[in-house]
Amino acid sequence: WGYSYTNGDVVIHDGAREHKLFDRTGITELNICFDSYMLPVVTYVYNGEAFYRYFDITTQHYVTRNLTEQSNKPVRTPRVCYDDRRRQFRSSASVILSYFVENQLMIRTSDDRFRSPQIIKEYLDNNTHLNQVCMGTNNRLHFITYRNKE
C-alpha cells in the first residue's frame, strides 16, 4: 500500500486501485499507516497545525483531532506507525502517533484513542525533527530524527 496527496486529495492505493480518504487543500506534511483492522490512520500538517484522523470504534466514524490544540503548543513532524505486526502480538498492537513539542519527542497510542501524551525523549534544543517511525529488524520501534541546520 502507498499514499499520495494530489490537488488536495489524500489517497491510498494498492497499485491497482485508489481510494480517496478525504480532501484538504494546503497540507504540507502527510503520513499514513494502517491499524490492526487495516483502517488508515492519517497525520498531517495544515496551516501550521498538526492533525490526526482515525476510525473511532466507539462511535463507528472517522474522527479528526487537532494535535496542536491538544498539546497547547506548536507540534512538529507528526508521524504514525503500527507498532508490532507480528502475528502473536496483533491482539495487543497499537498505532503510535509520534511528534515533537519543543524539545520533547512525544507519543500517543491508539490504546486510549490517542488521549494520553507520553514523553519518549528530551533533546537539548528545538532543532530536532522526526523523519520516520518504524519497526526495526530487532522488533523495536525506531524513531529516526534529523536536525535543522542553523
Side-chain angles (χ1 to χ4, degrees):
W1 285 88
Y3 62 91
S4 61
Y5 177 69
T6 307
N7 298 324
D9 293 339
V10 176
V11 176
I12 56 173
H13 47 83
D14 65 1
R17 295 179 307 241
E18 290 188 349
H19 177 73
K20 179 179 166 183
L21 299 178
F22 62 95
D23 59 79
R24 164 105 4 132
T25 303
I27 290 176
T28 56
E29 290 184 50
L30 177 67
N31 191 240
I32 297 176
C33 78
F34 294 91
D35 67 13
S36 58
Y37 300 104
M38 283 303 293
L39 296 168
V41 179
V42 180
T43 184
Y44 59 94
V45 175
Y46 169 74
N47 280 343
E49 294 189 347
F51 294 84
Y52 60 98
R53 181 182 186 267
Y54 68 100
F55 189 81
D56 187 338
I57 59 171
T58 60
T59 64
Q60 296 293 300
H61 291 88
Y62 277 97
V63 176
T64 300
R65 301 273 187 242
N66 186 322
L67 185 56
T68 302
E69 283 182 4
Q70 289 178 323
S71 300
N72 294 316
K73 293 182 179 178
V75 170
R76 293 190 316 279
T77 55
R79 303 290 186 261
V80 284
C81 177
Y82 188 62
D83 73 343
D84 201 334
R85 64 178 190 260
R86 292 176 291 169
R87 189 174 307 274
Q88 68 266 33
F89 296 107
R90 284 191 184 153
S91 64
S92 62
S94 305
V95 171
I96 307 296
L97 169 61
S98 309
Y99 55 97
F100 270 95
V101 173
E102 295 180 336
N103 67 328
Q104 297 174 327
L105 175 59
M106 311 286 292
I107 67 165
R108 294 173 186 246
T109 69
S110 59
D111 295 336
D112 68 350
R113 294 168 42 214
F114 305 103
R115 290 185 180 164
S116 304
Q118 300 171 40
I119 300 170
I120 297 299
K121 185 174 181 178
E122 291 195 30
Y123 291 80
L124 295 175
D125 55 39
N126 296 350
N127 292 327
T128 305
H129 301 268
L130 195 54
N131 186 44
Q132 184 179 6
V133 179
C134 57
M135 178 69 88
T137 56
N138 62 351
N139 296 319
R140 300 282 187 254
L141 277 180
H142 294 262
F143 299 90
I144 302 166
T145 61
Y146 67 93
R147 290 185 53 78
N148 270 355
K149 295 178 182 174
E150 291 188 349

mmCIF file of all heavy atoms in Angstrom, residues 55-101:
data_model
loop_
_atom_site.group_PDB
_atom_site.id
_atom_site.type_symbol
_atom_site.label_atom_id
_atom_site.label_comp_id
_atom_site.label_asym_id
_atom_site.label_seq_id
_atom_site.Cartn_x
_atom_site.Cartn_y
_atom_site.Cartn_z
ATOM 1 N N PHE A 55 -10.212 5.906 12.726
ATOM 2 C CA PHE A 55 -11.551 5.347 12.877
ATOM 3 C C PHE A 55 -11.764 5.035 14.350
ATOM 4 O O PHE A 55 -11.066 4.214 14.933
ATOM 5 C CB PHE A 55 -11.720 4.082 12.036
ATOM 6 C CG PHE A 55 -13.137 3.596 12.005
ATOM 7 C CD1 PHE A 55 -14.052 4.179 11.145
ATOM 8 C CD2 PHE A 55 -13.548 2.567 12.829
ATOM 9 C CE1 PHE A 55 -15.371 3.740 11.114
ATOM 10 C CE2 PHE A 55 -14.860 2.115 12.808
ATOM 11 C CZ PHE A 55 -15.772 2.699 11.946
ATOM 12 N N ASP A 56 -12.737 5.702 14.950
ATOM 13 C CA ASP A 56 -13.057 5.514 16.358
ATOM 14 C C ASP A 56 -14.063 4.373 16.477
ATOM 15 O O ASP A 56 -15.201 4.506 16.037
ATOM 16 C CB ASP A 56 -13.633 6.810 16.931
ATOM 17 C CG ASP A 56 -13.839 6.762 18.423
ATOM 18 O OD1 ASP A 56 -13.955 5.655 18.992
ATOM 19 O OD2 ASP A 56 -13.883 7.842 19.031
ATOM 20 N N ILE A 57 -13.632 3.264 17.064
ATOM 21 C CA ILE A 57 -14.516 2.097 17.124
ATOM 22 C C ILE A 57 -15.702 2.317 18.056
ATOM 23 O O ILE A 57 -16.721 1.634 17.925
ATOM 24 C CB ILE A 57 -13.759 0.820 17.522
ATOM 25 C CG1 ILE A 57 -13.086 0.982 18.873
ATOM 26 C CG2 ILE A 57 -12.752 0.437 16.460
ATOM 27 C CD1 ILE A 57 -12.499 -0.296 19.428
ATOM 28 N N THR A 58 -15.603 3.269 18.984
ATOM 29 C CA THR A 58 -16.732 3.521 19.885
ATOM 30 C C THR A 58 -17.857 4.284 19.190
ATOM 31 O O THR A 58 -19.022 4.071 19.502
ATOM 32 C CB THR A 58 -16.291 4.286 21.145
ATOM 33 O OG1 THR A 58 -15.740 5.530 20.761
ATOM 34 C CG2 THR A 58 -15.284 3.486 21.940
ATOM 35 N N THR A 59 -17.508 5.167 18.262
ATOM 36 C CA THR A 59 -18.539 5.935 17.546
ATOM 37 C C THR A 59 -18.825 5.372 16.155
ATOM 38 O O THR A 59 -19.793 5.778 15.528
ATOM 39 C CB THR A 59 -18.112 7.406 17.382
ATOM 40 O OG1 THR A 59 -16.949 7.467 16.559
ATOM 41 C CG2 THR A 59 -17.866 8.061 18.728
ATOM 42 N N GLN A 60 -17.929 4.470 15.678
ATOM 43 C CA GLN A 60 -18.043 3.884 14.342
ATOM 44 C C GLN A 60 -17.955 4.934 13.235
ATOM 45 O O GLN A 60 -18.594 4.802 12.194
ATOM 46 C CB GLN A 60 -19.350 3.076 14.206
ATOM 47 C CG GLN A 60 -19.423 1.878 15.121
ATOM 48 C CD GLN A 60 -18.409 0.818 14.741
ATOM 49 O OE1 GLN A 60 -18.431 0.303 13.646
ATOM 50 N NE2 GLN A 60 -17.499 0.508 15.652
ATOM 51 N N HIS A 61 -17.141 5.960 13.478
ATOM 52 C CA HIS A 61 -16.918 7.014 12.495
ATOM 53 C C HIS A 61 -15.445 7.428 12.503
ATOM 54 O O HIS A 61 -14.750 7.265 13.507
ATOM 55 C CB HIS A 61 -17.753 8.260 12.824
ATOM 56 C CG HIS A 61 -19.209 8.069 12.633
ATOM 57 N ND1 HIS A 61 -20.029 7.571 13.625
ATOM 58 C CD2 HIS A 61 -20.005 8.287 11.566
ATOM 59 C CE1 HIS A 61 -21.266 7.507 13.175
ATOM 60 N NE2 HIS A 61 -21.290 7.933 11.932
ATOM 61 N N TYR A 62 -15.021 8.011 11.383
ATOM 62 C CA TYR A 62 -13.698 8.623 11.359
ATOM 63 C C TYR A 62 -13.748 9.923 12.141
ATOM 64 O O TYR A 62 -14.719 10.675 12.058
ATOM 65 C CB TYR A 62 -13.235 8.883 9.921
ATOM 66 C CG TYR A 62 -12.625 7.661 9.296
ATOM 67 C CD1 TYR A 62 -13.376 6.835 8.475
ATOM 68 C CD2 TYR A 62 -11.300 7.320 9.553
ATOM 69 C CE1 TYR A 62 -12.821 5.691 7.907
ATOM 70 C CE2 TYR A 62 -10.735 6.188 8.999
ATOM 71 C CZ TYR A 62 -11.500 5.381 8.183
ATOM 72 O OH TYR A 62 -10.939 4.260 7.641
ATOM 73 N N VAL A 63 -12.709 10.169 12.908
ATOM 74 C CA VAL A 63 -12.602 11.344 13.762
ATOM 75 C C VAL A 63 -11.313 12.068 13.404
ATOM 76 O O VAL A 63 -10.277 11.431 13.201
ATOM 77 C CB VAL A 63 -12.561 10.925 15.248
ATOM 78 C CG1 VAL A 63 -12.341 12.120 16.151
ATOM 79 C CG2 VAL A 63 -13.811 10.165 15.625
ATOM 80 N N THR A 64 -11.366 13.381 13.314
ATOM 81 C CA THR A 64 -10.167 14.199 13.107
ATOM 82 C C THR A 64 -9.970 15.059 14.337
ATOM 83 O O THR A 64 -10.896 15.735 14.789
ATOM 84 C CB THR A 64 -10.313 15.085 11.849
ATOM 85 O OG1 THR A 64 -10.511 14.239 10.722
ATOM 86 C CG2 THR A 64 -9.077 15.937 11.643
ATOM 87 N N ARG A 65 -8.750 15.016 14.878
ATOM 88 C CA ARG A 65 -8.415 15.790 16.070
ATOM 89 C C ARG A 65 -7.257 16.733 15.763
ATOM 90 O O ARG A 65 -6.356 16.404 14.997
ATOM 91 C CB ARG A 65 -7.988 14.867 17.213
ATOM 92 C CG ARG A 65 -9.030 13.863 17.618
ATOM 93 C CD ARG A 65 -9.972 14.448 18.645
ATOM 94 N NE ARG A 65 -10.868 13.418 19.135
ATOM 95 C CZ ARG A 65 -12.182 13.445 18.993
ATOM 96 N NH1 ARG A 65 -12.749 14.456 18.387
ATOM 97 N NH2 ARG A 65 -12.928 12.486 19.457
ATOM 98 N N ASN A 66 -7.286 17.898 16.403
ATOM 99 C CA ASN A 66 -6.222 18.880 16.263
ATOM 100 C C ASN A 66 -5.182 18.619 17.348
ATOM 101 O O ASN A 66 -5.397 18.905 18.523
ATOM 102 C CB ASN A 66 -6.794 20.290 16.380
ATOM 103 C CG ASN A 66 -5.769 21.352 16.104
ATOM 104 O OD1 ASN A 66 -4.609 21.235 16.487
ATOM 105 N ND2 ASN A 66 -6.195 22.423 15.458
ATOM 106 N N LEU A 67 -4.059 18.049 16.951
ATOM 107 C CA LEU A 67 -2.996 17.701 17.886
ATOM 108 C C LEU A 67 -2.342 18.944 18.482
ATOM 109 O O LEU A 67 -1.939 18.942 19.646
ATOM 110 C CB LEU A 67 -1.961 16.829 17.173
ATOM 111 C CG LEU A 67 -0.817 16.260 17.997
ATOM 112 C CD1 LEU A 67 -1.334 15.442 19.178
ATOM 113 C CD2 LEU A 67 0.081 15.415 17.111
ATOM 114 N N THR A 68 -2.263 19.997 17.711
ATOM 115 C CA THR A 68 -1.687 21.249 18.213
ATOM 116 C C THR A 68 -2.534 21.798 19.355
ATOM 117 O O THR A 68 -2.001 22.210 20.387
ATOM 118 C CB THR A 68 -1.557 22.275 17.068
ATOM 119 O OG1 THR A 68 -0.752 21.705 16.040
ATOM 120 C CG2 THR A 68 -0.921 23.564 17.552
ATOM 121 N N GLU A 69 -3.851 21.777 19.208
ATOM 122 C CA GLU A 69 -4.731 22.242 20.290
ATOM 123 C C GLU A 69 -4.615 21.343 21.515
ATOM 124 O O GLU A 69 -4.567 21.824 22.649
ATOM 125 C CB GLU A 69 -6.189 22.278 19.820
ATOM 126 C CG GLU A 69 -6.516 23.453 18.941
ATOM 127 C CD GLU A 69 -7.986 23.467 18.543
ATOM 128 O OE1 GLU A 69 -8.768 22.604 19.006
ATOM 129 O OE2 GLU A 69 -8.352 24.351 17.748
ATOM 130 N N GLN A 70 -4.558 20.029 21.296
ATOM 131 C CA GLN A 70 -4.444 19.105 22.425
ATOM 132 C C GLN A 70 -3.131 19.300 23.181
ATOM 133 O O GLN A 70 -3.079 19.103 24.388
ATOM 134 C CB GLN A 70 -4.543 17.654 21.948
ATOM 135 C CG GLN A 70 -5.929 17.270 21.499
ATOM 136 C CD GLN A 70 -5.988 15.847 20.976
ATOM 137 O OE1 GLN A 70 -5.065 15.373 20.321
ATOM 138 N NE2 GLN A 70 -7.073 15.173 21.253
ATOM 139 N N SER A 71 -2.078 19.667 22.467
ATOM 140 C CA SER A 71 -0.761 19.835 23.082
ATOM 141 C C SER A 71 -0.572 21.215 23.693
ATOM 142 O O SER A 71 0.375 21.435 24.452
ATOM 143 C CB SER A 71 0.331 19.590 22.033
ATOM 144 O OG SER A 71 0.219 18.285 21.524
ATOM 145 N N ASN A 72 -1.430 22.159 23.332
ATOM 146 C CA ASN A 72 -1.345 23.550 23.808
ATOM 147 C C ASN A 72 -0.051 24.243 23.406
ATOM 148 O O ASN A 72 0.332 25.241 24.015
ATOM 149 C CB ASN A 72 -1.532 23.637 25.328
ATOM 150 C CG ASN A 72 -2.921 23.241 25.746
ATOM 151 O OD1 ASN A 72 -3.907 23.634 25.132
ATOM 152 N ND2 ASN A 72 -3.002 22.420 26.777
ATOM 153 N N LYS A 73 0.668 23.685 22.431
ATOM 154 C CA LYS A 73 1.909 24.261 21.920
ATOM 155 C C LYS A 73 2.074 23.804 20.476
ATOM 156 O O LYS A 73 1.465 22.817 20.062
ATOM 157 C CB LYS A 73 3.112 23.786 22.736
ATOM 158 C CG LYS A 73 3.116 24.290 24.155
ATOM 159 C CD LYS A 73 4.343 23.839 24.890
ATOM 160 C CE LYS A 73 4.307 24.387 26.311
ATOM 161 N NZ LYS A 73 5.448 23.933 27.080
ATOM 162 N N PRO A 74 2.934 24.479 19.716
ATOM 163 C CA PRO A 74 3.178 24.030 18.340
ATOM 164 C C PRO A 74 3.735 22.599 18.297
ATOM 165 O O PRO A 74 4.531 22.202 19.144
ATOM 166 C CB PRO A 74 4.212 25.026 17.818
ATOM 167 C CG PRO A 74 4.022 26.240 18.661
ATOM 168 C CD PRO A 74 3.624 25.726 20.019
ATOM 169 N N VAL A 75 3.283 21.854 17.314
ATOM 170 C CA VAL A 75 3.692 20.464 17.111
ATOM 171 C C VAL A 75 4.480 20.375 15.811
ATOM 172 O O VAL A 75 4.091 20.965 14.809
ATOM 173 C CB VAL A 75 2.454 19.541 17.051
ATOM 174 C CG1 VAL A 75 2.825 18.142 16.605
ATOM 175 C CG2 VAL A 75 1.749 19.506 18.401
ATOM 176 N N ARG A 76 5.596 19.630 15.849
ATOM 177 C CA ARG A 76 6.418 19.426 14.645
ATOM 178 C C ARG A 76 6.402 17.967 14.224
ATOM 179 O O ARG A 76 6.402 17.069 15.053
ATOM 180 C CB ARG A 76 7.881 19.813 14.912
ATOM 181 C CG ARG A 76 8.139 21.253 15.168
ATOM 182 C CD ARG A 76 9.641 21.586 15.176
ATOM 183 N NE ARG A 76 10.506 20.671 15.888
ATOM 184 C CZ ARG A 76 10.699 20.671 17.205
ATOM 185 N NH1 ARG A 76 10.047 21.527 17.976
ATOM 186 N NH2 ARG A 76 11.548 19.817 17.759
ATOM 187 N N THR A 77 6.468 17.760 12.946
ATOM 188 C CA THR A 77 6.702 16.481 12.267
ATOM 189 C C THR A 77 5.929 15.296 12.859
ATOM 190 O O THR A 77 6.518 14.317 13.315
ATOM 191 C CB THR A 77 8.214 16.168 12.206
ATOM 192 O OG1 THR A 77 8.775 16.199 13.517
ATOM 193 C CG2 THR A 77 8.941 17.148 11.314
ATOM 194 N N PRO A 78 4.603 15.342 12.838
ATOM 195 C CA PRO A 78 3.821 14.203 13.334
ATOM 196 C C PRO A 78 3.952 12.999 12.396
ATOM 197 O O PRO A 78 3.969 13.147 11.176
ATOM 198 C CB PRO A 78 2.394 14.736 13.355
ATOM 199 C CG PRO A 78 2.374 15.789 12.298
ATOM 200 C CD PRO A 78 3.746 16.410 12.323
ATOM 201 N N ARG A 79 4.065 11.805 12.985
ATOM 202 C CA ARG A 79 4.176 10.561 12.225
ATOM 203 C C ARG A 79 3.352 9.482 12.920
ATOM 204 O O ARG A 79 3.166 9.511 14.131
ATOM 205 C CB ARG A 79 5.629 10.085 12.128
ATOM 206 C CG ARG A 79 6.598 11.087 11.514
ATOM 207 C CD ARG A 79 6.346 11.270 10.022
ATOM 208 N NE ARG A 79 7.343 12.121 9.408
ATOM 209 C CZ ARG A 79 7.178 13.411 9.143
ATOM 210 N NH1 ARG A 79 6.062 14.018 9.479
ATOM 211 N NH2 ARG A 79 8.127 14.108 8.548
ATOM 212 N N VAL A 80 2.881 8.495 12.150
ATOM 213 C CA VAL A 80 2.147 7.359 12.702
ATOM 214 C C VAL A 80 2.798 6.055 12.263
ATOM 215 O O VAL A 80 3.393 5.976 11.191
ATOM 216 C CB VAL A 80 0.653 7.365 12.294
ATOM 217 C CG1 VAL A 80 -0.120 8.392 13.074
ATOM 218 C CG2 VAL A 80 0.471 7.572 10.807
ATOM 219 N N CYS A 81 2.664 5.036 13.120
ATOM 220 C CA CYS A 81 3.256 3.735 12.840
ATOM 221 C C CYS A 81 2.469 2.665 13.595
ATOM 222 O O CYS A 81 2.094 2.879 14.750
ATOM 223 C CB CYS A 81 4.713 3.727 13.291
ATOM 224 S SG CYS A 81 5.552 2.145 13.080
ATOM 225 N N TYR A 82 2.249 1.530 12.958
ATOM 226 C CA TYR A 82 1.678 0.368 13.639
ATOM 227 C C TYR A 82 2.824 -0.308 14.368
ATOM 228 O O TYR A 82 3.830 -0.669 13.765
ATOM 229 C CB TYR A 82 1.040 -0.557 12.601
ATOM 230 C CG TYR A 82 0.256 -1.701 13.171
ATOM 231 C CD1 TYR A 82 -0.863 -1.473 13.964
ATOM 232 C CD2 TYR A 82 0.621 -3.011 12.903
ATOM 233 C CE1 TYR A 82 -1.595 -2.518 14.468
ATOM 234 C CE2 TYR A 82 -0.115 -4.070 13.405
ATOM 235 C CZ TYR A 82 -1.210 -3.821 14.187
ATOM 236 O OH TYR A 82 -1.949 -4.863 14.698
ATOM 237 N N ASP A 83 2.701 -0.507 15.674
ATOM 238 C CA ASP A 83 3.888 -0.851 16.455
ATOM 239 C C ASP A 83 4.367 -2.292 16.347
ATOM 240 O O ASP A 83 5.548 -2.552 16.495
ATOM 241 C CB ASP A 83 3.734 -0.439 17.914
ATOM 242 C CG ASP A 83 2.782 -1.301 18.705
ATOM 243 O OD1 ASP A 83 1.984 -2.032 18.103
ATOM 244 O OD2 ASP A 83 2.819 -1.222 19.942
ATOM 245 N N ASP A 84 3.521 -3.257 16.095
ATOM 246 C CA ASP A 84 4.011 -4.631 16.027
ATOM 247 C C ASP A 84 3.087 -5.480 15.167
ATOM 248 O O ASP A 84 1.977 -5.796 15.576
ATOM 249 C CB ASP A 84 4.127 -5.234 17.422
ATOM 250 C CG ASP A 84 5.074 -6.408 17.462
ATOM 251 O OD1 ASP A 84 5.266 -7.064 16.425
ATOM 252 O OD2 ASP A 84 5.631 -6.664 18.539
ATOM 253 N N ARG A 85 3.561 -5.844 13.997
ATOM 254 C CA ARG A 85 2.725 -6.596 13.071
ATOM 255 C C ARG A 85 2.881 -8.110 13.208
ATOM 256 O O ARG A 85 2.233 -8.867 12.509
ATOM 257 C CB ARG A 85 3.008 -6.165 11.642
ATOM 258 C CG ARG A 85 4.397 -6.478 11.191
ATOM 259 C CD ARG A 85 4.590 -6.060 9.741
ATOM 260 N NE ARG A 85 5.819 -6.569 9.234
ATOM 261 C CZ ARG A 85 6.945 -5.884 9.121
ATOM 262 N NH1 ARG A 85 6.954 -4.620 9.463
ATOM 263 N NH2 ARG A 85 8.034 -6.427 8.654
ATOM 264 N N ARG A 86 3.763 -8.556 14.113
ATOM 265 C CA ARG A 86 3.942 -10.000 14.300
ATOM 266 C C ARG A 86 2.630 -10.627 14.775
ATOM 267 O O ARG A 86 1.936 -10.089 15.629
ATOM 268 C CB ARG A 86 5.062 -10.280 15.301
ATOM 269 C CG ARG A 86 6.432 -9.882 14.757
ATOM 270 C CD ARG A 86 7.501 -10.067 15.789
ATOM 271 N NE ARG A 86 7.320 -9.085 16.873
ATOM 272 C CZ ARG A 86 7.970 -9.116 18.023
ATOM 273 N NH1 ARG A 86 8.836 -10.069 18.266
ATOM 274 N NH2 ARG A 86 7.750 -8.191 18.936
ATOM 275 N N ARG A 87 2.305 -11.775 14.208
ATOM 276 C CA ARG A 87 1.020 -12.438 14.458
ATOM 277 C C ARG A 87 0.740 -12.627 15.957
ATOM 278 O O ARG A 87 -0.373 -12.377 16.417
ATOM 279 C CB ARG A 87 0.989 -13.773 13.731
ATOM 280 C CG ARG A 87 -0.365 -14.440 13.746
ATOM 281 C CD ARG A 87 -0.408 -15.685 12.887
ATOM 282 N NE ARG A 87 0.055 -15.460 11.532
ATOM 283 C CZ ARG A 87 -0.700 -15.021 10.532
ATOM 284 N NH1 ARG A 87 -1.951 -14.747 10.745
ATOM 285 N NH2 ARG A 87 -0.206 -14.865 9.328
ATOM 286 N N GLN A 88 1.718 -13.049 16.725
ATOM 287 C CA GLN A 88 1.484 -13.342 18.142
ATOM 288 C C GLN A 88 1.212 -12.092 18.978
ATOM 289 O O GLN A 88 0.746 -12.192 20.102
ATOM 290 C CB GLN A 88 2.643 -14.159 18.736
ATOM 291 C CG GLN A 88 3.956 -13.414 18.835
ATOM 292 C CD GLN A 88 4.859 -13.629 17.635
ATOM 293 O OE1 GLN A 88 4.392 -13.789 16.524
ATOM 294 N NE2 GLN A 88 6.163 -13.639 17.874
ATOM 295 N N PHE A 89 1.491 -10.907 18.428
ATOM 296 C CA PHE A 89 1.266 -9.666 19.167
ATOM 297 C C PHE A 89 0.140 -8.804 18.596
ATOM 298 O O PHE A 89 -0.089 -7.699 19.074
ATOM 299 C CB PHE A 89 2.558 -8.843 19.224
ATOM 300 C CG PHE A 89 3.652 -9.534 19.979
ATOM 301 C CD1 PHE A 89 4.729 -10.080 19.312
ATOM 302 C CD2 PHE A 89 3.586 -9.653 21.350
ATOM 303 C CE1 PHE A 89 5.735 -10.726 20.007
ATOM 304 C CE2 PHE A 89 4.577 -10.294 22.058
ATOM 305 C CZ PHE A 89 5.658 -10.840 21.381
ATOM 306 N N ARG A 90 -0.545 -9.286 17.595
ATOM 307 C CA ARG A 90 -1.580 -8.462 16.949
ATOM 308 C C ARG A 90 -2.704 -8.068 17.892
ATOM 309 O O ARG A 90 -3.266 -6.993 17.765
ATOM 310 C CB ARG A 90 -2.142 -9.185 15.735
ATOM 311 C CG ARG A 90 -1.205 -9.125 14.572
ATOM 312 C CD ARG A 90 -1.833 -9.586 13.302
ATOM 313 N NE ARG A 90 -0.826 -9.579 12.253
ATOM 314 C CZ ARG A 90 -0.858 -10.353 11.209
ATOM 315 N NH1 ARG A 90 -1.855 -11.182 11.032
ATOM 316 N NH2 ARG A 90 0.081 -10.290 10.305
ATOM 317 N N SER A 91 -3.037 -8.900 18.847
ATOM 318 C CA SER A 91 -4.144 -8.553 19.744
ATOM 319 C C SER A 91 -3.803 -7.384 20.659
ATOM 320 O O SER A 91 -4.686 -6.715 21.176
ATOM 321 C CB SER A 91 -4.565 -9.761 20.568
ATOM 322 O OG SER A 91 -3.504 -10.157 21.413
ATOM 323 N N SER A 92 -2.510 -7.133 20.875
ATOM 324 C CA SER A 92 -2.116 -6.034 21.752
ATOM 325 C C SER A 92 -1.390 -4.910 21.008
ATOM 326 O O SER A 92 -0.902 -3.975 21.631
ATOM 327 C CB SER A 92 -1.212 -6.556 22.870
ATOM 328 O OG SER A 92 -0.026 -7.094 22.330
ATOM 329 N N ALA A 93 -1.326 -4.989 19.692
ATOM 330 C CA ALA A 93 -0.622 -3.970 18.907
ATOM 331 C C ALA A 93 -1.414 -2.670 18.878
ATOM 332 O O ALA A 93 -2.643 -2.668 18.978
ATOM 333 C CB ALA A 93 -0.370 -4.472 17.495
ATOM 334 N N SER A 94 -0.694 -1.572 18.712
ATOM 335 C CA SER A 94 -1.297 -0.243 18.707
ATOM 336 C C SER A 94 -0.741 0.586 17.568
ATOM 337 O O SER A 94 0.338 0.320 17.065
ATOM 338 C CB SER A 94 -0.948 0.504 20.001
ATOM 339 O OG SER A 94 -1.313 -0.222 21.117
ATOM 340 N N VAL A 95 -1.473 1.636 17.229
ATOM 341 C CA VAL A 95 -0.923 2.664 16.366
ATOM 342 C C VAL A 95 -0.254 3.679 17.277
ATOM 343 O O VAL A 95 -0.816 4.098 18.290
ATOM 344 C CB VAL A 95 -2.010 3.335 15.501
ATOM 345 C CG1 VAL A 95 -1.456 4.550 14.769
ATOM 346 C CG2 VAL A 95 -2.601 2.330 14.525
ATOM 347 N N ILE A 96 0.969 4.060 16.914
ATOM 348 C CA ILE A 96 1.733 5.033 17.685
ATOM 349 C C ILE A 96 1.747 6.348 16.908
ATOM 350 O O ILE A 96 2.159 6.378 15.754
ATOM 351 C CB ILE A 96 3.186 4.566 17.904
ATOM 352 C CG1 ILE A 96 3.228 3.163 18.505
ATOM 353 C CG2 ILE A 96 3.950 5.573 18.749
ATOM 354 C CD1 ILE A 96 2.630 3.033 19.861
ATOM 355 N N LEU A 97 1.278 7.409 17.529
ATOM 356 C CA LEU A 97 1.341 8.761 16.980
ATOM 357 C C LEU A 97 2.526 9.449 17.642
ATOM 358 O O LEU A 97 2.548 9.606 18.872
ATOM 359 C CB LEU A 97 0.035 9.507 17.272
ATOM 360 C CG LEU A 97 -0.008 11.003 17.014
ATOM 361 C CD1 LEU A 97 0.247 11.313 15.548
ATOM 362 C CD2 LEU A 97 -1.348 11.575 17.452
ATOM 363 N N SER A 98 3.531 9.804 16.866
ATOM 364 C CA SER A 98 4.760 10.408 17.388
ATOM 365 C C SER A 98 4.901 11.819 16.841
ATOM 366 O O SER A 98 4.530 12.075 15.695
ATOM 367 C CB SER A 98 5.977 9.589 16.959
ATOM 368 O OG SER A 98 5.794 8.236 17.270
ATOM 369 N N TYR A 99 5.508 12.702 17.639
ATOM 370 C CA TYR A 99 5.654 14.097 17.223
ATOM 371 C C TYR A 99 6.574 14.816 18.190
ATOM 372 O O TYR A 99 6.889 14.305 19.265
ATOM 373 C CB TYR A 99 4.291 14.791 17.176
ATOM 374 C CG TYR A 99 3.513 14.707 18.472
ATOM 375 C CD1 TYR A 99 3.547 15.750 19.392
ATOM 376 C CD2 TYR A 99 2.764 13.576 18.784
ATOM 377 C CE1 TYR A 99 2.849 15.686 20.583
ATOM 378 C CE2 TYR A 99 2.062 13.491 19.977
ATOM 379 C CZ TYR A 99 2.104 14.541 20.873
ATOM 380 O OH TYR A 99 1.415 14.462 22.056
ATOM 381 N N PHE A 100 6.992 16.006 17.819
ATOM 382 C CA PHE A 100 7.798 16.850 18.690
ATOM 383 C C PHE A 100 6.972 18.027 19.181
ATOM 384 O O PHE A 100 6.237 18.642 18.410
ATOM 385 C CB PHE A 100 9.023 17.401 17.946
ATOM 386 C CG PHE A 100 10.220 16.520 18.047
ATOM 387 C CD1 PHE A 100 10.501 15.597 17.058
ATOM 388 C CD2 PHE A 100 11.068 16.595 19.145
ATOM 389 C CE1 PHE A 100 11.601 14.774 17.145
ATOM 390 C CE2 PHE A 100 12.172 15.777 19.247
ATOM 391 C CZ PHE A 100 12.443 14.860 18.241
ATOM 392 N N VAL A 101 7.121 18.330 20.456
ATOM 393 C CA VAL A 101 6.646 19.571 21.071
ATOM 394 C C VAL A 101 7.863 20.172 21.757
ATOM 395 O O VAL A 101 8.435 19.558 22.655
ATOM 396 C CB VAL A 101 5.519 19.333 22.091
ATOM 397 C CG1 VAL A 101 5.182 20.616 22.831
ATOM 398 C CG2 VAL A 101 4.287 18.761 21.417
#
